[in-house]
Amino acid sequence: MTSNATAPTQTTSALPVSLNGVGRAFPGAPRELERLVLRDVELKIAPGEIVALLGPSGCGKSTLLRQISGLDRPTSGSLTIDGTRIAAADQRCAVAFQEPRLLPWRTVARNIELGLPRGTDRAAGRVRVGELLELVQLTHAADLKPRQISGGMAQRVSLARALARGPGVLLLDEPFGALDALTRLTMQDLLVDIHRAEPATIVLVTHDVDEALALADRIVLLGTRFDRPGATISRILEVPGTRPRDRASTVLARLRAQLLDALGVPSHHGR
Amino acid sequence: MSFDERGGAPVLRPSDTTEGRSPASRNGRRDPSTVERSGRGRRRLTGSTVLLGAVVPALLLTIWLVASEATQIPDYLLPSPAQVVGAGVELANQGLLGTYILISLQRVLTGFAIGAAIGLVLGAVVGLSDVGSKLLSPILGAIRAVPSLAWVPLLTIYLGIYEVPKITLIAIGAAFPVFTTVAGALRHVDPQLVEAGRAFGLGRLPLLTTVQLPAVVPAVVSGLRLALAQAWLFLVAAELIASSMGLGFLLVDSQNNGRTDRLFLAILLLGVLGKATDALVGVGERALLKRWS
């Protein structure tokens, strides 16, 4: 991606992430009763890897993602990016939230601008935003306001904004969860393209097994044991094959059955 | 007619104060949504809007005309429209009408500008800082609850009877709607947007200018509109007491001289001027909302 015409002006170097015994408890109403959401999460993520955090809703996936982004702090354990501790709202990360969270009074292009690193030179910023608009196929919508575009377009803007800084770690919190099934598939393909063009480390929260199988190098299952409060990693699965993957592959079908099984959903596989 | 009963200052006092406070407390909460809707262009000024808006005034004028001409109600209770216009012409010939309107307008706009600025600052402090809110909210709530006329005697003793106490009173009246709407709006800026701003590396001040202030523009504008209406209410309160010029003075003076035609004139002028200034702010509002929402 150096001499190519579409090479990003913002050089991305994917960074490793390490989670060491991460736990998060929220103080309850009476001070004695804490609510333990996460416990003992131990995970090493390689630079450029795509990891999907999968689990039933409310199991702490988003909370774990917020620990990595530095928007929230663990109550036990520690996290590092590239060997150094994660700062509050760590700027080596970029987040695309479950909702697009665009500023309604700014145009699409100006919203993407928000994601540029502080102190980016104006001209360079404009070039970068132009590239990103092209990458998420929204060049035609650059001057529209968020209320004038569809939900799928808004999520692409949100994705472009997260990519604007060339993040070492890209955190995606169910970014396609609210989209219709077809748009979701298109967005997944787009993400594969983006990852090839700008290879960041990606941590993706999802409750969609197929999405995890289509995108992830590894799928990390979060779950709670019946006898202990707090979710932790219950299983890690390696997903074989290079992206884009054949959605109808039998290998993936077998993995899907395993995952659904682990999530407690009957897969009806092989009947 | 009810004019005899309502004409006296002692009777006017309570009705003035309830009107003076209720729009701020009622509309303060309701207005932002209305503004948002208008921001999306659902409230457009078209020919039919203007025409429909003129129907009821025309109807009232007709009823007034018929009631004053065809009934036995004496002129000192119900002057005819022609007599009210005549009163206006008479005052204009004496050079008083223009002076009264201009001095009242000047007082309203000066007081409004000062009050709105104070309201903005106080609203920002209370809306953005938890300590500021805990420190100032109770006292401001209490000051706001004081009826407008209750300030007049004290302001007269401290500040005399000329322009300063009147403008001070109007500024007090204009400050609160702005304060209330701005403080409330800042406190309720979408926390998800604020968090997104934080995630993208915005510090406290950039966050304020990039996310929080633009987000409250609609609320600020609706607060300003309420403040302007409030400024007109407080103007009359100010001018009813110690004044020798202005529309409020015209009310008192006409009551003392039994000039019902001039009373009608003053009331009509207050209505028209209030509506006209509000419409001007409305034009600015539309432009602002187009840009900021």
Side-chain angles (χ1 to χ4, degrees):
Chain A
M1 285 286 131
T2 42
S3 60
N4 196 312
T6 57
T9 51
Q10 201 82 39
T11 45
T12 311
S13 62
L15 299 173
V17 181
S18 167
L19 288 70
N20 316 304
V22 171
R24 177 70 167 103
F26 290 96
R31 215 171 301 160
E32 298 78 41
L33 280 174
E34 278 193 337
R35 198 165 56 87
L36 188 65
V37 172
L38 288 170
R39 63 172 177 88
D40 312 321
V41 178
E42 198 78 40
L43 184 66
K44 302 252 180 295
I45 304 171
E49 191 182 7
I50 302 182
V51 167
L53 299 177
L54 191 67
S57 63
C59 76
K61 304 184 296 279
S62 294
T63 307
L64 186 57
L65 199 75
R66 289 169 59 81
Q67 309 304 318
I68 305 174
S69 69
L71 287 172
D72 192 25
R73 285 179 173 286
T75 39
S76 61
S78 67
L79 301 95
T80 60
I81 291 179
D82 199 19
T84 55
R85 261 175 181 276
I86 286 169
D90 201 297
Q91 293 305 292
R92 292 169 295 180
C93 298
V95 194
F97 299 93
Q98 204 166 345
E99 323 76 21
R101 301 198 189 183
L102 306 178
L103 301 179
W105 53 86
R106 284 194 174 200
T107 61
V108 163
R110 295 264 296 132
N111 262 294
I112 296 175
E113 226 170 75
L114 190 74
L116 293 168
R118 299 299 115 214
T120 305
D121 157 273
R122 266 189 103 84
R126 208 167 311 129
V127 172
R128 176 71 180 150
V129 169
E131 270 175 19
L132 289 162
L133 281 167
E134 205 159 312
L135 189 63
V136 297
Q137 297 147 30
L138 282 176
T139 309
H140 62 284
D143 296 324
L144 295 180
K145 295 275 181 76
R147 70 181 127 85
Q148 297 169 300
I149 62 179
S150 70
M153 288 164 88
Q155 276 304 4
R156 278 186 274 163
V157 178
S158 165
L159 201 55
R161 179 179 62 182
L163 289 166
R165 58 192 42 216
V169 182
L170 179 61
L171 304 169
L172 307 174
D173 188 359
E174 294 191 31
F176 317 137
L179 304 178
D180 65 86
L182 278 176
T183 313
R184 197 178 314 153
L185 294 183
T186 320
M187 294 288 284
Q188 289 167 4
D189 287 345
L190 178 69
L191 191 66
V192 169
D193 291 343
I194 287 172
H195 187 249
R196 199 180 303 125
E198 308 195 3
T201 307
I202 297 180
V203 183
L204 167 84
V205 162
T206 182
H207 55 230
D208 179 347
V209 171
D210 290 313
E211 185 165 279
L213 286 170
L215 296 174
D217 294 310
R218 280 191 297 164
I219 297 174
V220 173
L221 264 169
L222 287 181
T224 316
R225 267 174 50 183
F226 69 95
D227 56 345
R228 281 190 71 174
T232 190
I233 296 175
S234 59
R235 202 159 169 191
I236 298 179
L237 278 117
E238 306 256 351
V239 186
T242 50
R243 288 172 293 263
R245 296 186 180 125
D246 176 7
R247 292 186 203 279
S249 137
T250 48
V251 183
L252 293 189
R254 210 162 27 245
L255 272 177
R256 177 183 305 118
Q258 281 183 36
L259 283 166
L260 289 173
D261 211 39
L263 288 167
V265 183
S267 64
H268 313 294
H269 185 65
R271 289 207 185 150
Chain B
M1 285 299 288
S2 59
F3 250 110
D4 267 336
E5 301 140 32
R6 292 195 5 180
V11 189
L12 250 173
R13 190 176 298 150
S15 79
D16 173 74
T17 51
T18 46
E19 274 177 22
R21 280 183 294 129
S22 65
S25 50
R26 245 187 311 119
N27 298 352
R29 254 171 274 128
R30 194 182 49 194
D31 239 353
S33 62
T34 331
V35 166
E36 247 178 55
R37 250 182 281 125
S38 79
R40 296 201 185 106
R42 285 188 206 169
R43 201 173 57 190
R44 282 216 189 86
L45 203 64
T46 58
S48 68
T49 316
V50 174
L51 218 64
L52 272 177
V55 168
V56 177
L59 207 67
L60 287 174
L61 188 67
T62 315
I63 293 170
W64 179 16
L65 205 67
V66 171
S68 60
E69 301 293 340
T71 62
Q72 298 302 309
I73 303 171
D75 283 351
Y76 70 86
L77 288 181
L78 183 68
S80 69
Q83 284 169 322
V84 171
V85 172
V89 172
E90 181 196 354
L91 277 173
N93 287 339
Q94 293 167 9
L96 291 176
L97 190 66
T99 317
Y100 285 2
I101 289 174
L102 283 178
I103 192 79
S104 286
L105 206 56
Q106 180 189 316
R107 284 166 182 161
V108 161
L109 295 181
T110 317
F112 166 70
I114 295 170
I118 293 170
L120 271 175
V121 172
L122 288 178
V125 170
V126 169
L128 288 172
S129 132
D130 212 34
V131 180
S133 170
K134 284 175 182 146
L135 213 59
L136 294 176
S137 287
I139 182 67
L140 287 172
I143 295 173
R144 186 184 155 187
V146 176
S148 56
L149 287 190
W151 295 107
V152 173
L154 201 61
L155 288 175
T156 313
I157 291 175
Y158 284 179
L159 301 171
I161 57 165
Y162 300 108
E163 292 306 295
V164 181
K166 295 187 182 64
I167 286 167
T168 308
L169 186 67
I170 294 165
I172 291 172
F176 284 105
V178 179
F179 159 71
T180 320
T181 45
V182 172
L186 277 173
R187 215 173 292 133
H188 295 122
V189 171
D190 185 353
Q192 295 197 330
L193 284 187
V194 174
E195 190 189 56
R198 221 159 58 80
F200 287 106
L202 295 177
R204 221 180 140 83
L205 194 66
L207 197 61
L208 181 68
T209 55
T210 315
V211 179
Q212 286 157 311
L213 284 183
V216 300
V217 165
V220 172
V221 175
S222 77
L224 288 177
R225 266 186 110 155
L226 289 168
L228 188 63
Q230 191 93 316
W232 280 104
L233 290 165
F234 277 61
L235 167 88
V236 176
E239 288 183 343
L240 275 178
I241 306 303
S243 62
S244 55
M245 283 188 293
L247 294 171
F249 168 73
L250 184 61
L251 283 171
V252 186
D253 192 50
S254 310
Q255 185 216 342
N256 292 338
N257 297 321
R259 291 293 301 265
T260 324
D261 51 347
R262 288 186 179 176
L263 276 174
F264 267 73
L265 178 72
I267 289 167
L268 285 173
L269 282 173
L270 283 169
V272 169
L273 285 171
K275 176 66 191 150
T277 47
D278 184 62
L280 277 178
V281 178
V283 171
E285 179 182 21
R286 258 190 291 278
L288 269 172
L289 289 181
K290 210 171 159 194
R291 170 72 185 79
W292 290 109
S293 65

